[in-house]
Amino acid sequence: MEIWPGQAYPLGATFDGSGTNFSLFSEVAERVELCLFDADGTETRVTLPEMDGYVWHCYLPSVQPGQRYGYRVHGPYDPARGLRCNPAKLLLDPYAKAVDGVLDWNPALFSYPPGYPDAAGEASGIETTDSAPHMVKGVVINPYFDWSGEARPRTWYHDTVIYEAHVKGLTARHPDLPDEIRGTYAGLAHPAIVDHLTRLGVTAVELMPVHEFVSDQHLLDAGLTNYWGYNTIGFFAPHHAYSASGALGSQVQEFKSMVKTLHSAGIEVILDVVYNHTAEGNELGPTLSFRGIDNAAYYRLMDDDPRYYRDYTGTGNSLNARSPHALQLLMDSLRYWITDMHVDGFRFDLAATLAREFYDVDRLSSFFDLVQQDPEVSQVKLIAEPWDVGPGGYQVGNFPPRWTEWNGKYRDTVRDFWRGQPATLGEFAARLTGSADLYEQDGRRPVASINFVTAHDGFTLKDLVSYNDKHNEANGEDGRDGTDDNRSWNCGVEGPTHDPEVTALRARQQRNFIATLLLSQGVPMISHGDELGRTQQGNNNAYCQDSPLTWVDWGGADANLIEFTAAVARLRRHHPTFRRRRFFDGRPAARGEGEPLPDIVWMTPSGDVMTRADWDSDFVRSIAVFLNGRGIRGTDERGRPIVDDSFLLLFNAHHEDLEFALPPEEYGAAWNVVIDTSGIDVAAQVHAAQTALTVTARSTVVLQAATGEPAGEPEEPPAAVVPDVPPSAAFGVGNGDR
């Protein structure tokens, strides 16, 4: 075999059309062996002949795509000093762009001998059994793909509707998908899935982790698996189990095809990425990759005892974002997914971990600096989950200006409001209007708030209105897992019921949540299957349930709820009133004679403008809000003033029906009811100014000014899911898109 010196960069295995360059960083290595594996598992070792700036490299002109490989790093093994090299352990390339195989959790994967730790907490030696037969391997890929004809949507944040989805969970049970592509990237690109997303007005899918991940040993021993995927081991490789076309590089081509198809439908692809930790866990974890390559460079170790790992994530380790090499890995990964895989953004799991210096999230951390300066990464959608288990915990509102954030305060407030909790009105108003209290002070806009009511981590929407308590028996952890504070309400009965009053209330509450979500300022995020009435039978932490419990049941879909969701999404899409680029001004609070109407006015059910006393009441659970379509600040993409119809939103979270007095004629001479979550027929409902309108208990009514000019020509509505039932009559949705 010819062995050429090759190049230090790019890191990883890079096929250039003729041969493959291999490159690996390790500052502590004394020697590095590249290990090539044939189809039958036969191993050929090649010592990397060159080292430049602690990057070991070679070029093999004979190696082609599909070649499986790994590394063995020779160097010091001294856990007391944070050094854990062990050449007996085959190591996955951190830059591997495809991965083949499944870990079998043989003891050979661990570097410490049986019985560790001993009574003194020390290892008596090093475990030297070869781990290669039990270890996954990297795969050399063909990087070439025909992107011709592809156009990235590049959707503005204020026009964005996000759909959080699991590749397998969304597609595993769809009846229109061929069996061989269910649960795969190809399945997600199938017309049946794409048509459903476009019907809902979705502009971006946020995919739960697709970076190569492994299932935890304790889950496999219990007959379970790491379903969610928050256990990454390969930051460049699309997870092999979601590929219908094989694991020897074909998963890369399939992923790219999925992206191209979604882009052609105007749908962006956002990845939920887990850069805060890896699957190697704490000091008792296996040696799979980073630990054996350069432990101290890639992981945060305890300053006073580097045997142990600093854990801000609850998983055993934290990536060392203070290290230039770990930061390089992270940034290289982000750029790769943007430039080579054409993804449109990232949601960073436990993002606060990446910016931890001491206690608070450091806005001047190296990570934020690099993102800000990078010409590729800085231009895509950047979404933070502003939480970790470090000091300070929840960091919502503390990320830099280019970032948006999962707004957990929005989730909690909207849940509390609709279950009738006291003293929630003021905060509900703040969340409905874009959470200016969190974002406006540092120059961000309403789109900084990623609004959601449910997500993968917690109850589904149907379960949110069906259970007070978690029911996680299937996880086998005696109910210790999952949050106990769900802010849920079962509407009177725990779990399934045939009581018509309870089922009607639950249906109404689901519509309340969807209407509130889609008509709030900011960026709405729908959790997959919520629009179908998906249930996990009260399991609020289904991370280990790769089963029908978590897969979307398309056969049992709630067609009425689908149509309602699509209709409200159309209303949002057609009216810029609901997707403003700037925060409301709200002034003047007290108008002088002849002064124009403010851009927003808050009113009591009696029609009076809200006073401080009204806001401070613990018992007020109902409110009206006027959104002035002629008071939209800013201009459109061509610099023209934005003029829209005005709307009235009537929220009644009270347990009894209430009469709302419509405002004087200056707000609107007449009002059309366009949404009524009670399900009442709104097709012919027109109400004059200063008349009364009864709003059903625990429901929302949206009215559109009948005298305003339309925002634009209406689009053709999507085909009804149930063609023989008029949507306006059945679901309480009128023609507000007109």
Side-chain angles (χ1 to χ4, degrees):
M1 178 185 299
E2 287 188 80
I3 304 173
W4 299 359
Q7 302 293 325
Y9 293 94
L11 291 163
T14 306
F15 176 68
D16 62 6
S18 297
T20 303
N21 191 83
F22 293 90
S23 177
L24 179 77
F25 160 79
S26 177
E27 192 171 350
V28 299
E30 298 165 356
R31 180 164 64 94
V32 175
E33 290 179 307
L34 169 66
C35 307
L36 305 176
F37 293 88
D38 296 337
D40 61 1
T42 301
E43 180 181 353
T44 301
R45 300 187 185 184
V46 177
T47 297
L48 299 187
E50 300 288 331
M51 189 269 286
D52 297 301
Y54 301 113
V55 177
W56 304 76
H57 55 91
C58 76
Y59 180 90
L60 301 181
S62 61
V63 170
Q64 300 293 299
Q67 175 66 60
R68 300 189 303 158
Y69 73 101
Y71 290 102
R72 298 181 188 272
V73 174
H74 298 257
Y77 182 82
D78 188 356
R81 296 193 294 135
L83 304 171
R84 295 182 178 269
C85 297
N86 185 350
K89 310 306 169 185
L90 184 75
L91 305 174
L92 182 68
D93 182 2
Y95 282 75
K97 296 180 178 62
V99 174
D100 180 51
V102 179
L103 292 178
D104 65 4
W105 290 104
N106 188 278
L109 295 170
F110 299 80
S111 281
Y112 52 84
Y116 173 79
D118 61 20
E122 301 287 344
S124 57
I126 182 173
E127 216 292 319
T128 58
T129 305
D130 184 10
S131 69
H134 315 283
M135 181 61 190
V136 300
K137 280 80 174 178
V139 179
V140 177
I141 70 159
N142 185 342
Y144 304 105
F145 181 80
D146 183 10
W147 289 104
S148 60
E150 185 239 13
R152 300 197 186 191
R154 303 189 187 278
T155 307
W156 290 86
Y157 261 125
H158 64 277
D159 292 329
T160 295
V161 176
I162 298 174
Y163 190 84
E164 187 197 30
H166 189 284
V167 171
K168 184 174 183 179
L170 183 62
T171 62
R173 301 178 71 184
H174 200 294
D176 295 338
L177 269 60
D179 290 345
E180 62 270 17
I181 67 169
R182 293 184 181 184
T184 68
Y185 307 119
L188 192 60
H190 190 275
I193 300 295
V194 175
D195 289 349
H196 178 75
L197 296 175
T198 54
R199 171 181 292 167
L200 296 178
V202 169
T203 68
V205 290
E206 183 180 297
L207 299 180
M208 291 178 65
V210 297
H211 285 177
E212 187 68 35
F213 63 87
V214 301
S215 277
D216 317 70
Q217 183 178 8
H218 74 278
L219 292 178
L220 296 176
D221 291 344
L224 302 168
T225 188
N226 192 316
Y227 169 67
W228 284 352
Y230 293 94
N231 205 28
T232 304
I233 197 60
F235 295 123
F236 292 78
H239 188 55
H240 72 280
Y242 300 152
S243 171
S245 51
L248 292 178
S250 298
Q251 62 265 53
V252 178
Q253 303 298 314
E254 186 176 327
F255 184 93
K256 290 178 178 179
S257 294
M258 177 199 72
V259 172
K260 186 176 180 179
T261 298
L262 290 171
H263 281 178
S264 68
I267 299 172
E268 295 183 308
V269 178
I270 298 171
L271 301 187
D272 190 338
V273 291
V274 190
Y275 293 112
N276 52 73
H277 74 280
T278 77
E280 291 185 295
N282 62 15
E283 71 277 2
L284 298 178
T287 299
L288 306 177
S289 181
F290 307 91
R291 173 172 286 141
I293 295 170
D294 197 325
N295 189 53
Y298 285 116
Y299 292 120
R300 291 283 298 269
L301 307 180
M302 299 298 292
D303 295 333
D304 57 344
D305 194 345
R307 288 179 301 174
Y308 303 108
Y309 296 82
R310 187 176 296 279
D311 182 13
Y312 289 129
T313 67
T315 62
N317 64 59
S318 300
L319 199 73
N320 186 10
R322 299 186 297 184
S323 161
H325 305 290
L327 281 172
Q328 181 184 14
L329 171 78
L330 193 157
M331 297 304 296
D332 285 349
S333 171
L334 292 172
R335 280 191 295 270
Y336 172 77
W337 286 98
I338 297 168
T339 59
D340 286 55
M341 307 295 270
H342 286 212
V343 305
D344 306 283
F346 306 93
R347 179 266 189 186
F348 292 81
D349 179 68
L350 302 187
T353 300
L354 300 173
R356 284 278 178 196
E357 296 292 343
F358 299 100
Y359 296 101
D360 297 323
V361 171
D362 184 357
R363 294 190 179 204
L364 301 178
S365 71
S366 299
F367 171 65
F368 287 142
D369 285 346
L370 290 172
V371 169
Q372 181 72 27
Q373 298 168 18
D374 191 279
E376 297 286 349
V377 180
S378 64
Q379 299 306 303
V380 300
K381 289 180 169 67
L382 303 170
I383 305 171
E385 182 191 28
W387 180 86
D388 64 14
V389 298
Y394 196 44
Q395 297 288 332
V396 66
N398 286 344
F399 280 74
R402 285 209 57 82
W403 287 72
T404 63
E405 302 174 22
W406 267 28
N407 191 347
K409 289 191 175 182
Y410 178 96
R411 172 200 61 202
D412 295 346
T413 300
V414 172
R415 289 186 178 191
D416 280 347
F417 178 78
W418 282 115
R419 67 187 179 122
Q421 289 295 101
T424 57
L425 197 61
E427 186 155 357
F428 177 75
R431 305 300 155 234
L432 185 75
T433 53
S435 296
D437 59 322
L438 299 177
Y439 306 116
E440 191 174 27
Q441 71 274 11
D442 59 12
R444 285 189 281 179
R445 302 287 180 83
V447 295
S449 180
I450 306 297
N451 300 329
F452 66 103
V453 176
T454 62
H456 67 273
D457 190 2
F459 281 145
T460 68
L461 186 62
K462 185 173 183 177
D463 289 355
L464 185 68
V465 301
S466 303
Y467 296 91
N468 285 347
D469 305 309
K470 63 186 182 184
H471 297 265
N472 297 355
E473 293 79 10
N475 294 356
E477 299 179 35
D478 298 323
R480 295 187 302 273
D481 60 306
T483 183
D484 295 316
D485 184 16
N486 297 291
R487 289 181 159 91
S488 60
W489 179 46
N490 62 21
C491 298
V493 178
E494 186 75 357
T497 181
H498 296 292
D499 187 315
E501 291 187 3
V502 174
T503 56
L505 177 56
R506 289 176 177 177
R508 192 158 70 247
Q509 287 285 71
Q510 289 178 79
R511 294 193 289 267
N512 284 331
F513 283 122
I514 288 172
T516 304
L517 174 66
L518 290 174
L519 300 182
S520 294
Q521 306 298 318
V523 180
M525 184 185 75
I526 302 168
S527 180
H528 79 182
D530 276 356
E531 78 286 0
L532 290 85
R534 184 176 77 92
T535 178
Q536 292 177 167
Q537 300 174 21
N539 190 318
N540 71 354
N541 189 34
Y543 76 102
C544 57
Q545 297 298 324
D546 186 9
S547 70
L549 179 68
T550 54
W551 304 339
V552 173
D553 180 12
W554 292 90
D558 185 339
N560 292 1
L561 190 59
I562 295 173
E563 187 59 40
F564 178 85
T565 306
V568 181
R570 287 198 300 271
L571 184 68
R572 176 186 180 89
R573 182 169 68 252
H574 295 163
H575 292 284
T577 292
F578 300 111
R579 40 187 178 82
R580 302 179 185 224
R581 300 173 68 179
R582 300 177 183 271
F583 288 107
F584 290 99
D585 186 312
R587 295 188 295 268
R591 292 168 58 219
E593 185 176 351
E595 291 181 340
L597 289 169
D599 53 4
I600 186 171
V601 180
W602 301 94
M603 305 174 190
T604 66
S606 61
D608 300 320
V609 176
M610 293 280 289
T611 65
R612 182 171 295 276
D614 295 322
W615 287 113
D616 292 340
S617 173
D618 288 346
F619 305 104
V620 176
R621 296 180 176 87
S622 304
I623 194 170
V625 55
F626 168 75
L627 304 179
N628 188 353
R630 298 181 179 274
I632 299 175
R633 302 166 62 207
T635 59
D636 66 12
E637 288 79 1
R638 296 185 178 182
R640 299 169 299 189
I642 302 172
V643 179
D644 192 16
D645 297 338
S646 296
F647 288 85
L648 273 174
L649 280 63
L650 313 181
F651 298 101
N652 181 18
H654 193 57
H655 65 276
E656 295 179 337
D657 297 354
L658 283 180
E659 277 199 349
F660 279 72
L662 300 185
E665 191 169 337
E666 63 176 329
Y667 290 85
W671 298 90
N672 296 317
V673 178
V674 293
I675 293 175
D676 188 340
T677 62
S678 69
I680 296 172
D681 183 2
V682 302
Q685 286 196 37
V686 182
H687 299 267
Q690 295 185 290
T691 58
L693 188 155
T694 299
V695 179
T696 305
R698 295 192 174 96
S699 69
T700 304
V701 174
V702 179
L703 303 101
Q704 180 180 5
T707 56
E709 297 179 3
E713 292 295 321
E715 299 176 16
E716 289 296 320
V721 179
V722 186
D724 59 334
V725 182
S728 60
F731 316 131
V733 178
N735 62 346
D737 56 329
R738 288 173 167 81

